Amino acid sequence: MPRRHGPALLTALVAGTAALAAIVALAGSLLFSGGGAKQVGTESVARTPAAPAHSTGVWIGTWAGAPTAGVADTSTDDDLTQRIIRNVVHTSIGGDAARITLSNLFGTHPLLVDRATVNTRPVSFRGTPSVTIPAGGQIVSDPVVVPVAPDADLVVSLRTPTADGPVTVHPNSHQTSYVADGRGTWRSNLWRYLTAVDVRNKAAAGAIVAIGDSLTAGTGSTLDADSRWPDVLSDRLRGRYAVVNQGIAGNRILRDGQGYGQMYGQRAIARFDRDVLGVADVKTVIIALGINDVQQFPKERDPQRIADALRAMTERAHARGLHVVGATLMPFEGSLAWTPAEDAVRRQVNALIRAGGIFDEVVDFDRVVRDPYRPSRLLPEFDCGDHLHLNDNGYLRLGQQVDLQTLHGNRPASDQL
């Protein structure tokens, strides 16, 4: 696996805490009043893949973090003013320019962002350096000419001088980001407001989107190691396709999240258009969902309902000309929620998936991580310890299991991997 570039960047961010705090304190007297900020209405999530006329490349999603909920921001003890948010994200492909998507989807008040940068390069929104995003809205920035490296950490900084929660977030990122004010800098495992980064790229064939739950988001993986299975898949593709991870811990297909603050996100059938079809230049989707419908309360007892919902998402992808790969559900005996009845539902869902008629292709995650002597549980070498999620070795195995030849569908031979 390629050597990751994250640790050096994170060290530099921590080293710059004192300087950043001083800058923020000085900036407090210079904050925009909001009168010059442009009010932006709710925009369609889908972004045109076409690049500007003078470019030879197209816009492709290199990273995304699906918004899950609006939460009170507890990064500081005081109010939310004079904050700088430093979202650290990991790219799949690179490019010669970038654009970002900011979301106030779960906010109840307008959100003023009076300064944004990508790797320190200033970002504008319809020609202005500041933007006000209404509650429930989002905005795609203007292109910013900045070199974006593949398989590397990227820092998107935002200043929100008058933020009034709730904050639209993606939790459990398994990546260290930062929030700073005049007193210092705090580590965070949330991505705040930032939901997508697109790059202008003339070499990649498009984006592959993985929509899933915690097993796609990477629960159990090492912090800042970028060892989730979509990261492994991206390494194998070597820039031929972008890989966008739209996994949400706890996510279900048929019901909205039931966790604290609904942090498990909207049901997959409700977020599919936004988080899959809305990704710039998406070509293929990998669906790895269903285990939380089986094991979370209220539990889904009918495997056919899960299979039908998976088929419905495939049909929506087909209507957009996308190729669909689906994953079987992995075992979880030994976890707190496991019972023989739930395992029977899981096995029936897998039988329906393997029988065909749901996806264009199947990647059999269950087969490669289960214990052959006890198929209802994970192999110990892949178990992170909770008997439901995987460790880095387990996610490596999943990423290696995806057949690269199944990802391109019926495209011309020249576009095949």
Side-chain angles (χ1 to χ4, degrees), residues 19-92:
L20 178 60
I23 291 171
V24 176
L26 176 63
S29 63
L30 302 175
L31 296 177
F32 291 147
S33 65
K38 184 168 290 187
Q39 181 80 14
V40 178
T42 303
E43 291 204 355
S44 170
V45 176
R47 299 181 294 282
T48 172
H54 62 273
S55 170
T56 59
V58 297
W59 289 106
I60 303 174
T62 186
W63 172 90
T68 67
V71 299
D73 196 316
T74 58
S75 58
T76 65
D77 294 330
D78 296 332
D79 59 39
L80 305 183
T81 62
Q82 301 184 28
R83 297 183 313 161
I84 290 181
I85 297 165
R86 294 201 145 191
N87 290 302
V88 179
V89 304
H90 198 80
T91 63
S92 54

Side-chain angles (χ1 to χ4, degrees), residues 67-71 103-107 166-170 191-195:
T68 67
V71 299
S103 175
N104 193 23
L105 178 63
F106 297 104
V167 179
T168 297
V169 300
H170 177 99
W191 288 312
R192 291 168 169 81
Y193 302 120
L194 180 70
T195 58

Side-chain angles (χ1 to χ4, degrees), residues 14 44 58 84 130 138 163 194 206 215 234 352 354 376:
V14 174
S44 170
V58 297
I84 290 181
S130 64
Q138 74 165 26
L194 180 70
L215 291 158
S234 179
L352 292 169
R354 293 181 180 118
S376 58

Side-chain angles (χ1 to χ4, degrees), residues 284-288 310 314 318 322-328 352-365 401-411 416:
T284 297
V285 54
I286 304 176
I287 301 175
L310 292 170
T314 296
H318 284 170
L322 306 185
H323 188 65
V324 182
V325 179
T328 52
L352 292 169
I353 290 173
R354 293 181 180 118
I358 296 177
F359 305 117
D360 299 320
E361 310 284 349
V362 173
V363 55
D364 203 339
F365 283 171
Q401 178 64 15
V402 179
D403 183 352
L404 302 188
Q405 297 301 321
T406 68
L407 296 176
H408 54 72
N410 296 318
R411 297 195 182 93
Q416 293 183 5

Side-chain angles (χ1 to χ4, degrees), residues 226-295:
D226 303 303
S227 54
R228 316 162 189 89
W229 70 259
D231 297 317
V232 176
L233 177 60
S234 179
D235 290 341
R236 295 177 61 209
L237 288 166
R238 298 182 180 274
R240 287 171 284 181
Y241 284 84
V243 178
V244 173
N245 187 338
Q246 295 284 38
I248 296 176
N251 199 226
R252 302 175 66 157
I253 302 171
L254 295 168
R255 292 180 182 270
D256 290 344
Q258 303 296 309
Y260 169 73
Q262 294 194 334
M263 296 287 274
Y264 296 165
Q266 295 171 313
R267 67 191 74 184
I269 57 173
R271 70 183 183 97
F272 192 80
D273 286 7
R274 181 189 69 223
D275 294 344
V276 175
L277 304 184
V279 172
D281 207 28
V282 57
K283 296 294 195 297
T284 297
V285 54
I286 304 176
I287 301 175
L289 284 158
I291 197 63
N292 288 321
D293 294 82
V294 173
Q295 61 101 17

Side-chain angles (χ1 to χ4, degrees), residues 104-298:
N104 193 23
L105 178 63
F106 297 104
T108 56
H109 298 82
L111 169 69
L112 169 63
V113 176
D114 77 345
R115 186 174 66 193
T117 61
V118 174
N119 279 357
T120 74
R121 297 285 182 89
V123 176
S124 64
F125 303 87
R126 298 179 181 173
T128 66
S130 64
V131 64
T132 298
I133 309 170
Q138 74 165 26
I139 180 68
V140 180
S141 76
D142 301 332
V144 53
V145 178
V146 57
V148 177
D151 188 26
D153 284 352
L154 185 79
V155 181
V156 178
S157 295
L158 313 170
R159 189 168 65 182
T160 57
T162 59
D164 188 4
V167 179
T168 297
V169 300
H170 177 99
N172 305 312
S173 67
H174 310 290
Q175 188 113 31
T176 303
S177 293
Y178 300 86
V179 178
D181 63 15
R183 300 174 303 160
T185 302
W186 287 260
R187 291 174 177 263
S188 172
N189 71 344
L190 303 175
W191 288 312
R192 291 168 169 81
Y193 302 120
L194 180 70
T195 58
V197 177
D198 304 333
V199 293
R200 195 169 60 196
N201 181 297
K202 61 183 179 181
I208 296 166
V209 179
I211 182 170
D213 47 41
S214 56
L215 291 158
T216 297
T219 298
S221 66
T222 300
L223 178 68
D224 295 326
D226 303 303
S227 54
R228 316 162 189 89
W229 70 259
D231 297 317
V232 176
L233 177 60
S234 179
D235 290 341
R236 295 177 61 209
L237 288 166
R238 298 182 180 274
R240 287 171 284 181
Y241 284 84
V243 178
V244 173
N245 187 338
Q246 295 284 38
I248 296 176
N251 199 226
R252 302 175 66 157
I253 302 171
L254 295 168
R255 292 180 182 270
D256 290 344
Q258 303 296 309
Y260 169 73
Q262 294 194 334
M263 296 287 274
Y264 296 165
Q266 295 171 313
R267 67 191 74 184
I269 57 173
R271 70 183 183 97
F272 192 80
D273 286 7
R274 181 189 69 223
D275 294 344
V276 175
L277 304 184
V279 172
D281 207 28
V282 57
K283 296 294 195 297
T284 297
V285 54
I286 304 176
I287 301 175
L289 284 158
I291 197 63
N292 288 321
D293 294 82
V294 173
Q295 61 101 17
Q296 285 183 4
F297 289 102

